[in-house]
Amino acid sequence: MIWYVMLAVIFAAEIAGIVYWQLRAERRGEQSQTKRWVKSAVLLAAAVVWALLAVYDKENAFIVLLHLFVFLLVGMCADGVFSLIRKKKVKGSACVWAAASAACLIWLCLGWAAAHHVRRTDYSVTSTKAIGQDRLRIAQITDTHIGTTMDGAGFAKKLKDVSKAKPDIVVVTGDFTDANTSREDMQRSCLELGKLETKYGIYFVFGNHDCGDEGERSFTSAELEAELERNGVIVLRDEGVRVSDNVYLIGRRDASEHRENMRKLTADIRPTDYLIVLDHQPNSFTEESQAGADLVLTGHTHGGQLMPLPLASRLLPSFFGDADFMYGKRMYGSTACIVSSGMSSWEFWFKTGTVSEFVIVDVEGP
Ligand SMILES: [Fe+2]
């Protein structure tokens, strides 16, 4: 319902803007009647295309319209500023319209490419603890949201690059699925994930959508868990597992669920263990660092997903109180904490100001 309300509001704002612009152009005597008819026909065609998109996918229709509105608003403001500077009215609102619309189209195309192209992001961390080998390579996959920008077959293609990195461990840090994921795509994705060859296995923690969207799709989180385990993926729900003689891994329940605190989860580990923590949401780094974690891997934020959020999170980090930070790697004491922007995104086909990625972490031994 909220999406329809937002759609109605932005559509009304768009119509008001168009009417204002037409009246302004008429007042300035910028356009002949023929030009106004052509412009109206173009606008009508755009409205029909948008309406079809709204029927197909209301969330993405809203995003397209919102971007168009912002670009046109910026164009109008720029037009006004130029008029003031030159102290005369600029006859060219049609040009401003065309430039703003073209810039919006290019921006959204770049955003679409950023959401659909998955790149590899590398981090290197140094351990003062022995890890039993010179280098431990971890591949992190997160926020695939199967069904938004990739289906099961698309996920299989993206996994080829993960496989080429030859990781020792693969970890999946949640929101593997959401309300848009079909049972077939979920099964295909679990199958493909289980095919990855590793030295120490594939580990999985749930995200808020994996466990929270049950009522909106055709499978439960228990069925997802069973499918993962059928394909050899180890699901951790507030559980720890010894990966090797020197490395211990803890997978936490999502912060939206009732979960154990880190003190309890780390009760049995040895002080010499290199401790890796998987946590879907990046909002417990202080607790995890104080509990002795050496490396924490998270996702959930999608790197802010759409401008201006990625930029605002860098300039005003305290404004986004829920997440400790939105993207990248930071040290909390001696703990390396990583937030990935994920392989895909929630609902939207676009990512602007951020990337789609899988992460490779090389832990270098002492
Ligand atoms: Fe999430």
Side-chain angles (χ1 to χ4, degrees):
M1 183 64 189
I2 186 69
W3 285 105
Y4 288 114
V5 172
M6 291 198 299
L7 266 172
V9 169
I10 198 75
F11 193 62
E14 204 96 13
I15 293 294
I18 289 166
V19 170
Y20 168 77
W21 210 313
Q22 290 279 26
L23 291 174
R24 183 167 168 263
E26 197 172 342
R27 201 170 57 241
R28 289 177 173 189
E30 286 179 17
Q31 293 177 322
S32 67
Q33 199 168 11
T34 313
K35 276 186 182 173
R36 278 206 298 278
W37 273 108
V38 169
K39 201 162 151 185
S40 299
V42 170
L43 286 170
L44 185 64
V48 170
V49 170
W50 174 78
L52 289 172
L53 183 62
V55 170
Y56 180 69
D57 191 313
K58 58 187 180 304
E59 290 87 0
N60 281 288
F62 171 76
I63 289 299
V64 169
L65 204 60
L66 180 65
H67 277 80
L68 190 59
F69 178 75
V70 170
F71 272 80
L72 292 177
L73 198 63
V74 170
M76 278 173 72
C77 292
D79 189 20
V81 169
F82 284 135
S83 297
L84 277 175
I85 291 171
R86 296 174 63 172
K87 294 187 176 157
K88 64 175 184 179
K89 289 177 179 174
V90 178
K91 289 192 173 183
S93 66
C95 294
V96 177
W97 261 81
S101 303
C104 181
L105 184 65
I106 292 167
W107 180 255
L108 286 176
C109 285
L110 291 173
W112 192 92
H116 288 75
H117 172 72
V118 177
R119 73 170 201 188
R120 166 178 159 172
T121 301
D122 283 82
Y123 295 102
S124 180
V125 297
T126 309
S127 170
T128 54
K129 298 174 183 171
I131 54 172
Q133 57 199 82
D134 291 340
R135 187 196 71 187
L136 178 72
R137 174 162 282 187
I138 305 162
Q140 182 199 8
I141 297 165
T142 192
D143 295 86
T144 45
H145 289 267
I146 300 293
T148 303
T149 60
M150 68 182 97
D151 57 11
F155 179 58
K157 284 184 196 154
K158 314 284 185 202
L159 284 183
K160 285 181 185 166
D161 288 332
V162 179
S163 183
K164 275 185 207 158
K166 299 191 184 314
D168 296 313
I169 312 175
V170 172
V171 299
V172 182
T173 51
D175 283 358
F176 189 60
T177 59
D178 65 20
N180 293 323
T181 311
S182 69
R183 176 181 284 273
E184 293 71 29
D185 282 334
M186 179 273 282
Q187 289 172 330
R188 173 77 190 272
S189 300
C190 292
L191 177 73
E192 299 297 338
L193 189 61
K195 286 181 187 171
L196 287 173
E197 289 181 15
T198 66
K199 191 172 176 183
Y200 297 121
I202 306 162
Y203 301 89
F204 187 106
V205 293
F206 278 73
N208 51 309
H209 287 284
D210 294 311
C211 53
D213 288 355
E214 284 192 333
E216 300 170 64
R217 64 184 184 214
S218 60
F219 57 91
T220 64
S221 58
E223 287 172 312
L224 169 61
E225 185 171 351
E227 198 65 34
L228 287 162
E229 289 178 342
R230 198 180 353 265
N231 287 285
V233 178
I234 299 158
V235 179
L236 300 172
R237 303 185 97 163
D238 276 352
E239 292 165 274
V241 60
R242 181 159 294 285
V243 169
S244 70
D245 285 345
N246 307 83
V247 179
Y248 198 84
L249 181 75
I250 288 175
R252 303 192 74 182
R253 285 181 184 270
D254 183 64
S256 62
E257 300 180 281
H258 173 72
R259 64 180 187 175
E260 298 291 355
N261 63 45
M262 280 299 293
R263 200 171 295 277
K264 197 160 186 179
L265 292 173
T266 52
D268 296 330
I269 69 161
R270 301 187 292 242
T272 52
D273 283 334
Y274 187 81
L275 177 60
I276 303 166
V277 175
L278 311 181
D279 190 0
H280 176 61
Q281 300 193 36
N283 51 18
S284 306
F285 290 140
T286 303
E287 181 201 4
E288 284 150 354
S289 175
Q290 287 171 351
D294 294 289
L295 175 66
V296 186
L297 299 169
T298 70
H300 181 64
T301 63
H302 308 162
Q305 186 141 333
L306 292 170
M307 276 299 198
L309 285 179
L311 182 63
S313 70
R314 262 169 252 154
L315 299 176
L316 296 165
S318 57
F319 190 69
F320 298 87
D322 195 31
D324 289 336
F325 63 99
M326 207 166 267
Y327 180 72
K329 180 187 129 190
R330 285 190 196 172
M331 297 301 293
Y332 279 64
S334 59
T335 310
C337 301
I338 290 173
V339 184
S340 168
S341 56
M343 264 196 179
S344 182
S345 57
W346 173 78
E347 295 285 359
F348 307 142
W349 305 328
F350 311 97
K351 265 180 162 175
T352 52
T354 183
V355 295
S356 292
E357 64 179 9
F358 71 91
V359 168
I360 295 293
V361 185
D362 284 330
V363 182
E364 309 289 345

